[in-house]
Amino acid sequence: MSTADLVEYPMAGSRGRLLIVDDERAQRELISSIMKSEGYDVLTARDGLDALNRLVEPLPNVIISDLNMPRMSGFEFLAVVRQNFPHLSVIAMSGEFEGTELPTGVLADAYLPKGGYTFDQLRTTIRKLASAPPRRPRSAAVGIARA
């Protein structure tokens, strides 16, 4: 794994910390660049396994994860996150679901269809989730849902 696959942008006076998980490098870099310019610290990972290794202190305020990735899919990754870090907010992304509603069985707080959202929608969703993290019990039973 190269350092380009896992990039951290430390910033003084940050609005918060984001973790962007996507197997498409261009997608990771685009969202990272935009959110860095908005004042966020940004971590990236190329799949769910890499993302699990990035979940260290300080934890991200919001995770943005693709659902279909090699090695560990977003479905599997989000199930682990929900079980072990229920206080973390998550935005799921995919090009395989129609509409803008959270697909059934996806363990996320929001959903944005790849290619079907604006960066204003992304910013707004991140701000909303970062300002009011979910309150879920740590021991909630979670299953892995797949489309």
Side-chain angles (χ1 to χ4, degrees):
M1 174 184 322
S2 72
T3 56
D5 291 324
L6 296 173
V7 178
E8 182 171 355
Y9 299 103
M11 298 193 57
S14 172
R15 288 181 164 214
R17 187 174 177 102
L18 306 177
L19 172 60
I20 300 165
V21 187
D22 200 306
D23 59 324
E24 296 177 37
R25 177 181 274 172
Q27 184 79 2
R28 289 191 313 264
E29 290 176 357
L30 178 62
I31 295 172
S32 294
S33 177
I34 290 168
M35 298 319 297
K36 178 184 173 189
S37 72
E38 293 285 316
Y40 290 90
D41 288 343
V42 180
L43 305 169
T44 64
R46 64 183 174 164
D47 61 29
L49 286 176
D50 289 337
L52 288 177
N53 291 325
R54 303 296 279 172
L55 289 176
V56 295
E57 294 293 333
L59 291 170
N61 303 88
V62 178
I63 297 171
I64 302 164
S65 180
D66 186 17
L67 293 175
N68 296 305
M69 298 177 288
R71 297 192 323 150
M72 177 184 264
S73 74
F75 295 96
E76 296 162 322
F77 171 64
L78 296 179
V80 171
V81 168
R82 182 63 57 92
Q83 181 68 37
N84 296 294
F85 305 96
H87 62 285
L88 294 181
S89 298
V90 177
I91 300 169
M93 290 186 162
S94 179
E96 296 191 24
F97 295 99
E98 293 183 23
T100 58
E101 295 298 315
L102 184 64
T104 303
V106 175
L107 300 173
D109 301 297
Y111 173 74
L112 294 172
K114 278 189 174 180
Y117 68 91
T118 67
F119 289 108
D120 283 338
Q121 289 170 315
L122 177 63
R123 285 183 202 105
T124 300
T125 304
I126 289 170
R127 285 181 187 150
K128 176 182 168 191
L129 292 174
S131 68
R135 296 190 184 272
R136 290 185 274 268
R138 187 170 189 69
S139 62
V142 175
I144 298 175
R146 294 202 84 126

